[in-house]
Amino acid sequence: MGRCGECQAWGTVEEVAPAAAGTTAVAGPVSAPAVPIGEVRTDTAAFRSSGVPELDRVLGGGLVPGAALLLAGEPGVGKSTLLLEVAAQTARLKARTLYVSGEESASQVRLRADRTHNVTEELYLAAETDLGAVLGHVDAVKPTLLVVDSVQTIQAAGVDGVPGGVTQVKEVAAALIRMAKTRGITTVLVGHVTKDGAIAGPRVLEHLVDVVLHFEGDRDSRLRMVRAMKNRYGPVDEVGCFELASDGIVAVSDPTGLFVEHHERQVPGTCVAVAMEGRRPLLAEVQALVTPTSADRPRRTTSGLDGSRIAMVIAVLAQHCGIRLHNMDVFASTVGGARLHEPASDLAVAVALASATQGRAAPLGVVAMGEIGLAGELRRVRDLDQRLGEAARLGFRLAIVPGRSPNGRARTPESWTVDGMKVIDSSDVQSALRLLNLLPG
């Protein structure tokens, strides 16, 4: 501006810039002085059993004081039933527990506790949807374990948004986690999921907590599995197995029997695979059915198996083994609702398909494991020793594995035994089917 608007003089207006804001924060008080890491005490963060061994396996040893856990799963999968069982078992260990329900009334939770035999003296119950009331119950009860079912139903006063909104969930979760850290209370939050199976709410919720658990299972199956997606205190490759019954949820330490049908005679179109669920070997039976069709596009129907890998195995069988399924409808499934997605189950699928096509059963008591490549070769699978040991423990008598020894060194095709079970290595799928007498001609 050249001329002043008040005195009408020229060249008298000067530019005055605002003072630059400070970029360095002023040092403030600290909660505790920094010490060498070797002098930090660890006895206050020791594992404590939850009373449910399968959950302890997933958590890496048990519950940690001051830890914040997030358990997510689809509606009706059994999250509330599982946590009520955990709360009751913890209370039976003389550790006071507070169960806060924002979705059910106290009487409804009591009815479920009566049905599952989880009424115990040290288990306290409250039905609240206000964050201040929840913190008030914590002050009054002074629990060692706090269960909030669910975090999307709790509302913080003075914060914009409805319960379950992004702002509300962030504020409620931050307040509960801050309380857990300062008082050393293990806190378990139940989270909702979207229609795609992801945890509902802001992603920061998963960053705030120490452990993220997914509780999953098929509605048509009794089996439920808990997987650790994030764990600051233990491994993330463990899986806990549970069975949902009429009187509650029961831990299953040996779930193999749910996925394998015990045939007393040879049945065409079946083969047993050995999958790894976390660090646990799990045997599952693969069944195949092949029927002629006059349709231009034959059906490829799968249940519990990856449809794209089934299509690849069918193509390899046609190219390298002479098993033509271009004019056949193919149905492949697993027993008991098991889900096999790792490539190690390819050979079992190939054996089941070849057996169904030839109408000839594989030998009784055989297991097959190995990844099939597009050239028809069998590739190594991880944890072969554990897979073979589990199959031998369950009484299987023959195992077909990729043509490499457990220590990884190449070897000529031969056989050896593992706890009385005969193991035969094979370099490709054609030789594996020939060993089982399942090739045409």
Side-chain angles (χ1 to χ4, degrees):
M1 174 181 245
R3 187 176 184 180
C4 178
E6 294 182 2
C7 65
Q8 303 300 318
W10 291 87
T12 60
V13 179
E14 298 180 359
E15 180 181 0
V16 179
T23 57
T24 304
V26 180
V30 297
S31 58
V35 297
I37 190 171
E39 299 179 10
V40 177
R41 296 179 57 185
T42 60
D43 54 349
T44 58
F47 286 107
R48 174 176 51 81
S49 175
S50 65
V52 181
E54 284 296 299
L55 184 61
D56 292 343
R57 172 200 287 269
V58 178
L59 295 176
L63 301 173
V64 176
L69 292 79
L70 177 64
L71 177 68
E74 294 184 356
V77 75
K79 302 184 297 297
S80 300
T81 304
L82 173 64
L83 291 182
L84 185 60
E85 177 74 20
V86 172
Q89 293 296 340
T90 302
R92 291 188 179 100
L93 298 175
K94 303 302 179 183
R96 183 166 294 184
T97 303
L98 175 61
Y99 188 101
V100 178
S101 176
E103 299 180 349
E104 299 175 280
S105 65
S107 59
Q108 290 175 321
V109 179
R110 169 62 193 272
L111 289 175
R112 188 169 70 249
D114 288 335
R115 178 173 56 85
T116 58
H117 311 290
N118 285 324
V119 178
T120 182
E121 183 178 356
E122 289 296 319
L123 175 57
Y124 287 72
L125 177 62
E128 296 288 353
T129 58
D130 181 70
L131 177 61
V134 174
L135 298 178
H137 283 298
V138 173
D139 289 336
V141 178
K142 296 179 173 57
T144 59
L145 172 63
L146 170 65
V147 178
V148 179
D149 184 12
S150 64
V151 68
Q152 276 88 2
T153 60
I154 308 299
Q155 182 176 13
V159 179
D160 295 335
V162 297
V166 173
T167 306
Q168 284 284 344
V169 170
K170 289 171 62 177
E171 179 63 27
V172 171
L176 293 174
I177 294 172
R178 184 165 54 249
M179 178 271 303
K181 300 295 183 185
T182 56
R183 304 189 186 186
I185 301 175
T186 305
T187 302
V188 182
L189 307 177
V190 177
H192 296 167
V193 297
T194 63
K195 61 181 180 180
D196 297 327
I199 299 177
R203 194 72 173 183
V204 70
L205 182 61
E206 300 178 51
H207 291 284
L208 287 174
V209 298
D210 302 306
V211 181
V212 177
L213 303 176
H214 271 265
F215 197 39
E216 58 190 40
D218 194 345
R219 290 181 179 271
D220 299 328
S221 173
R222 299 175 300 170
L223 183 71
R224 300 290 187 268
M225 288 189 178
V226 176
R227 301 178 186 271
M229 310 304 293
K230 171 188 175 181
N231 192 354
R232 289 174 178 166
Y233 309 110
V236 293
D237 57 353
E238 273 293 357
V239 176
C241 298
F242 298 87
E243 184 177 4
L244 196 62
S246 58
D247 57 348
I249 194 164
V250 182
V252 180
S253 58
D254 189 6
T256 296
L258 300 175
F259 305 131
V260 177
E261 293 287 345
H262 297 283
H263 301 288
E264 297 181 357
R265 59 183 179 85
Q266 295 176 321
V267 179
T270 63
C271 186
V272 176
V274 187
M276 292 297 296
E277 288 289 349
R279 290 183 290 179
R280 166 187 287 173
L282 187 67
L283 274 70
E285 182 176 330
V286 178
Q287 296 183 342
L289 177 64
V290 177
T291 59
T293 181
S294 58
D296 295 335
R297 299 183 62 182
R299 298 179 62 183
R300 303 288 186 258
T301 305
T302 62
S303 175
L305 297 166
D306 188 357
S308 60
R309 296 206 68 86
I310 296 295
M312 187 202 72
V313 172
I314 292 175
V316 171
L317 291 177
Q319 182 68 24
H320 299 285
C321 302
I323 300 177
R324 307 291 180 180
L325 298 176
H326 62 280
N327 57 350
M328 299 283 187
D329 287 335
V330 175
F331 304 87
S333 68
T334 56
V335 171
R339 297 184 181 274
L340 301 180
H341 296 296
E342 64 170 341
S345 59
D346 288 350
L347 184 56
V349 172
V351 171
L353 288 173
S355 174
T357 305
Q358 300 298 314
R360 190 181 306 155
L364 195 63
V366 64
V367 295
M369 61 197 83
E371 178 184 357
I372 298 178
L374 293 179
E377 79 279 7
L378 290 182
R379 300 173 181 171
R380 292 177 56 197
V381 297
R382 66 179 181 94
D383 302 318
L384 183 60
D385 290 337
Q386 297 183 35
R387 298 175 195 256
L388 292 175
E390 180 70 7
R393 183 183 70 85
L394 294 174
F396 286 86
R397 297 176 294 191
L398 176 63
I400 307 297
V401 300
R404 286 184 178 271
S405 61
N407 58 15
R409 294 192 300 268
R411 59 189 294 168
T412 57
E414 59 181 60
S415 63
W416 69 97
T417 60
V418 174
D419 296 335
M421 180 182 66
K422 185 178 181 180
V423 182
I424 304 178
D425 57 13
S426 179
S427 59
D428 53 58
V429 63
Q430 184 178 18
S431 59
L433 297 180
R434 187 177 292 113
L435 287 170
L436 300 176
N437 196 25
L438 294 177
L439 282 183

